[in-house]
Amino acid sequence: MEKQYNYTVIIPHYKIIDLLGRALASIPDREDIQILVVDDNSGIDENEFRKLDAFEKATCEFIYLKENKGAGVARNEALKKTEGKWLLFLDADDFFAKRAFSVFDEYSSSKFD
């Protein structure tokens, strides 16, 4: 049976792995969340990114671009792999508020967009 994601979170990243860790920590570890981190060729060793992937239930995938082309291109690359019903964008130097996903859940089955 294929996983059903309620949310896909796209995070473009460039050379701020410490803040990326904070961003990822603000996402709950739930089976209905797909996380796509796109590194925009920041030159950071892939092993450093693997240290951040501490999710047991949520799916967290790292995509590595071969050329630096900016956050917009990084987001577009991730869009090719999205599987969630709802799409959320989070910058690597930002984070979700503690109750963000509780609020999202309240409205995710609403008839409104």
Side-chain angles (χ1 to χ4, degrees):
M1 187 170 134
E2 205 171 302
K3 274 190 176 182
Q4 297 292 317
Y5 298 110
N6 206 25
Y7 306 103
T8 296
V9 180
I10 293 177
I11 307 172
H13 171 266
Y14 185 73
K15 292 189 179 188
I16 50 172
I17 199 162
D18 54 329
L19 294 176
L20 175 61
R22 181 184 70 174
L24 290 171
S26 75
I27 301 170
D29 190 11
R30 298 181 1 191
E31 291 180 357
D32 69 330
I33 298 175
Q34 174 193 32
I35 304 160
L36 300 171
V37 178
V38 186
D39 182 64
D40 194 20
N41 194 31
S42 62
I44 296 173
D45 188 279
E46 289 183 23
N47 290 322
E48 291 299 311
F49 289 99
R50 288 189 192 100
K51 292 177 187 175
L52 298 173
D53 188 9
F55 292 97
E56 292 180 21
K57 296 176 184 170
T59 300
C60 185
E61 180 181 347
F62 291 90
I63 302 165
Y64 303 97
L65 301 183
K66 296 184 187 315
E67 292 181 50
N68 177 262
K69 294 202 174 193
V73 171
R75 288 183 190 98
N76 287 337
E77 281 300 312
L79 283 172
K80 297 174 186 176
K81 295 185 170 222
T82 60
E83 298 177 31
K85 177 181 175 186
W86 296 98
L87 181 61
L88 303 167
F89 292 100
L90 180 67
D91 289 334
D93 63 346
D94 211 345
F95 57 92
F96 288 112
K98 288 192 184 294
R99 289 193 13 79
F101 280 81
S102 297
V103 173
F104 299 154
D105 289 340
E106 280 183 49
Y107 293 98
S108 67
S109 57
S110 167
K111 64 180 180 176
F112 303 106
D113 286 343

